[in-house]
């Protein structure tokens, strides 16, 4: 997140200026979070259809290393994206917050429709929290937003997650856009969060027979620590020779996150009988990898021809109440 903030500052030039263009590392992080969410959603849908599932190695891996470890990244990025959108909308409209409210309303409608087939979907609650938390917070001083984000996140951890945690992460994402930190802290943050994550995961497993409140708190805290380790680890990898390959795969996935998230539901529900019939749950991993690989290929193909993904384009058109040009001009011969 530190490096992402510095990248924004270099591109935006000065604080408070709308960022010109897409922040590709933000897209890569979003695509990375989408990968983990795909695994978790596939696993949850499968286990929910089983009356008495016998836990196996796949269950343990997903529960320990994936479950509740990726939605914090997505929530944090949601708060960051709000600031970017407000800056962009401020260049086009005299009332950017009204445009933002319409954008959240469209997202809520998409989420309500999605909830018909996927009751556990996140678009509707994200839109609601965005309107109730992020929109009012956009009127507050940056320091107040930061303090409120820290307080809500700590409260959410202490009470086993819930709306306070999501709202706190939204606010921290907003605050991260306004308080630059040195990129030199990226490696220490990764090391610290990795050690903390390992300890908290162990504590969560060890406390499974103890106090329910302590168990939920350790579970939520381990999820936050793991998400911090995963996020900072990815940012470190983006500063190595793996950057080009990672960006080619994750950036298109993240740019079409809404489209790919909805398509994932179709893939999961369509293959659910096969997933439920597999007692090993290895099909969860197989399906997740196959769907994500297909989505990367599809996203790269689509974005070579269009500026926005199908659902992203629809969302943008409904937000601005106009038909937004989408097809890219053909490359010169």
């Amino acid at each position: 997140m530190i490096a992402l903030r510095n990248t924004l500052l270099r591109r935006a030039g000065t604080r408070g200026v709308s960022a010109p263009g897409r922040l590709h590392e933000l897209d890569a992080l979003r695509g990375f979070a989408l990968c983990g969410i795909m695994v978790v959603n596939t696993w949850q849908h499968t286990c929910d259809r089983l009356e008495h599932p016998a836990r196996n190695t796949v269950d343990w891996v997903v529960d320990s290393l994936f479950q509740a470890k990726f939605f914090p990244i997505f929530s944090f990025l949601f708060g960051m994206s709000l600031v970017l959108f407000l800056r962009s909308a401020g260049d086009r409209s005299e009332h950017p917050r009204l445009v933002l409210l319409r954008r959240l309303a469209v997202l809520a409608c998409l989420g309500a429709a999605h909830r018909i087939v996927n009751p556990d979907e996140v678009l509707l609650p994200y839109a609601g929290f965005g309107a109730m938390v992020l929109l009012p917070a956009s009127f507050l001083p940056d320091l107040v937003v930061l303090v409120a984000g820290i307080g809500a996140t700590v409260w959410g951890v202490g009470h086993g997650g819930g709306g306070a945690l999501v709202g706190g992460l939204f606010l921290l994402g907003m605050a991260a856009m306004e308080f630059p930190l040195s990129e030199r802290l990226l490696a220490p943050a990764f090391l610290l969060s990795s050690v903390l994550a390992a300890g908290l995961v162990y504590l969560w497993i060890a406390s499974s027979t103890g106090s329910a409140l302590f168990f939920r708190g350790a579970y939520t805290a381990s999820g936050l620590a793991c998400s911090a380790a995963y996020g900072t680890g990815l940012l470190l990898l983006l500063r190595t020779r793996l950057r080009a390959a990672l960006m080619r795969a994750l950036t298109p996935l993240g740019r079409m996150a809404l489209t790919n998230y909805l398509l994932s539901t179709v893939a999961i529900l369509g293959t659910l009988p096969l997933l439920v019939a597999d007692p090993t749950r290895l099909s969860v991993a197989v399906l997740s990898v196959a769907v994500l690989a297909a989505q990367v290929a599809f996203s790269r193909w689509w974005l070579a021809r269009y500026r926005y993904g199908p659902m992203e384009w629809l969302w943008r058109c409904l937000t601005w109440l106009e038909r937004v040009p989408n097809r890219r001009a053909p490359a010169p011969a």
Side-chain angles (χ1 to χ4, degrees):
M1 304 311 173
I2 298 165
L4 184 59
R5 165 61 182 161
N6 290 342
T7 303
L8 174 65
L9 287 176
R10 287 196 295 270
R11 296 187 181 187
T14 58
R15 180 173 172 173
V17 179
S18 297
R22 180 170 290 274
L23 300 175
H24 297 298
E25 289 191 352
L26 184 106
D27 291 324
L29 277 169
R30 188 182 294 111
F32 174 67
L34 195 66
C35 293
I37 290 171
M38 172 64 191
V39 174
V40 171
N41 286 348
T42 306
W43 177 71
Q44 285 182 333
H45 276 285
T46 303
C47 292
D48 287 345
R49 299 304 192 280
L50 299 174
E51 292 186 4
H52 303 289
R55 288 182 62 85
N56 55 33
T57 302
V58 173
D59 296 326
W60 185 89
V61 170
V62 175
D63 207 8
S64 301
L65 303 180
F66 287 83
Q67 174 81 316
K69 311 300 190 294
F70 289 89
F71 90 86
I73 300 176
F74 218 86
S75 301
F76 187 89
L77 294 177
F78 195 85
M80 297 184 76
S81 298
L82 176 133
V83 177
L84 288 173
F85 180 83
L86 277 179
R87 291 177 181 177
S88 175
D91 295 336
R92 298 182 54 182
S93 172
E94 295 181 357
H95 306 287
R97 289 181 177 85
L98 290 179
V99 180
L100 173 63
L101 186 59
R102 189 161 61 234
R103 179 175 175 83
L104 292 172
V106 173
L107 183 65
C109 292
L110 294 174
H114 188 217
R115 184 154 287 210
I116 296 173
V117 296
N118 183 11
D120 297 324
E121 71 90 36
V122 299
L123 300 180
L124 181 58
Y126 267 43
F129 279 116
M132 291 186 296
V133 177
L134 293 178
L135 192 58
S138 67
F139 292 96
L140 300 176
D142 300 334
L143 184 59
V144 174
V145 174
L146 175 62
V147 173
I150 294 173
T153 302
V154 171
W155 176 271
V157 171
H159 290 75
L165 179 62
V166 175
L169 292 169
F170 280 6
L171 294 172
L172 289 179
M174 285 187 69
M177 300 295 289
E178 305 298 342
F179 292 97
L181 296 173
S182 172
E183 191 169 335
R184 291 177 298 179
L185 295 176
L186 187 59
F190 169 70
L191 293 175
L192 177 61
S193 58
S194 297
V195 172
L196 189 61
L200 286 170
V201 168
Y202 174 79
L203 183 63
W204 163 65
I205 295 173
S207 64
S208 59
T209 57
S211 166
L213 182 60
F214 182 81
F215 174 74
R216 291 197 303 269
Y219 182 76
T220 306
S222 68
L224 284 180
C226 284
S227 67
Y230 293 165
T232 53
L234 176 64
L235 290 174
L236 285 173
L237 287 176
L238 292 179
R239 278 138 188 83
T240 68
R241 295 180 179 179
L242 295 175
R243 176 184 176 86
L246 289 171
M247 294 294 282
R248 281 197 299 270
L250 296 177
T251 301
L253 198 64
R255 287 181 61 186
M256 289 176 49
L258 177 59
T259 298
N260 288 322
Y261 174 68
L262 296 175
L263 288 176
S264 296
T265 299
V266 176
I268 294 170
L269 296 181
T271 58
L272 201 52
L274 297 177
L275 294 171
V276 173
D278 176 21
T280 69
R281 246 94 68 210
L282 289 174
S283 56
V284 168
V286 173
L287 177 68
S288 298
V289 172
V291 170
L292 288 169
Q295 288 181 340
V296 168
F298 171 66
S299 299
R300 286 176 57 83
W301 177 87
W302 183 275
L303 292 173
R305 293 158 178 79
Y306 300 94
R307 298 168 61 196
Y308 312 108
M311 296 307 300
E312 287 76 13
W313 176 76
L314 176 63
W315 191 12
R316 184 172 290 264
C317 290
L318 294 175
T319 295
W320 292 104
L321 299 179
E322 64 182 29
R323 189 179 187 280
V324 177
N326 196 20
R327 180 173 287 275
R328 294 185 184 275

